[in-house]
Amino acid sequence: MTVRRVAVVGTGVIGASWAAHFLAHGLDVVATDPSPGAEERLRADVAAHWPTLTPVAGASPERLTFTADAAEAAARADFVQENGPEREDVKHAVYRVLDEAARPEVVLASSSSGMLPSVIARGCPRHPERVVIGHPFNPPHLIPLVEVVPGEKTAESAVEAALAFYTAVGKKPIRLRQELPGHVANRLQAALWQEAYSLVDRGVATVADIDTAIAHGPGLRWACSGRS
Ligand SMILES: NC(=O)c1ccc[n+]([C@@H]2O[C@H](COP(=O)([O-])OP(=O)(O)OC[C@H]3O[C@@H](n4cnc5c(N)ncnc54)[C@H](O)[C@@H]3O)[C@@H](O)[C@H]2O)c1
């Protein structure tokens, strides 16, 4: 399925960044968030992100529409990117609405950093097979990585659709073979943090020297070593 319109559900830090990214890639975005003033904040965030982007021909922030009704947003979308609060009860309430409203073939991708897709999919009694994690690295409009994680009921077709969609909008998706807390990139980051805390704690180096070691050593090399 060709994705022309994306529903961005929850328009806080991550949702606003995703919205800017999708708009810059020439998609229509229908955003939803129940918080008072959410539309104004989202439009301001998109305007603030826009100068950092390289919009494709035809892309425009004016292709953003907003509704407070999540069902309406999901019903109009070809792909759903959910960015609501990191609470199981809230995710399940949101997913019940999305599952009811979205066409059955529409992928429901969660940005969740910490929740497992199998847990999130419990909010989807109708079509749990279209639920995946589509975890960005903050901020998604600047950092290419997306971790696509299937749950126990996720269909292969949903994983492939998510990977194809993210690739088409300029992201670098990876596919996890197992769901686990923290996915992959945050676990790698946490391992480095743990060693940094340990080195400071043992008096081996100061915080400033650890920072210099990363920023002017492996951090710099890693930033230049991406193969594609
Ligand atoms: N902040 C990060 O660095 C980061 C990075 C990657 C992924 N994530 C994930 O992205 C998701 C959102 O995180 P965030 O940092 O943007 O949080 P945030 O608090 O900035 O935004 C959450 C938004 O959800 C809205 N919301 C509340 N109830 C809702 C509902 N019922 N339906 C829809 N929206 C609702 C809130 O009004 C708010 O605008 C979380 O699942 C988090 O794990 C966060």
Side-chain angles (χ1 to χ4, degrees), residues 9-16 18 32-36 38 41 70 82-87 90-91 93-94 110-115 120 134-140 186:
V9 178
T11 58
V13 172
I14 296 299
W18 268 127
T32 183
D33 192 301
S35 172
R41 283 195 297 279
E82 172 275 315
N83 323 279
E86 191 78 333
R87 279 181 38 195
V90 178
K91 293 276 196 220
V94 170
S110 176
S111 292
S112 175
S113 299
M115 292 177 62
I120 291 176
H135 177 246
F137 227 55
N138 188 24
N186 275 335

Side-chain angles (χ1 to χ4, degrees), residues 7 60 71 73 114 177 179 224:
S60 169
R177 266 62 186 178
E179 53 184 337
C224 301

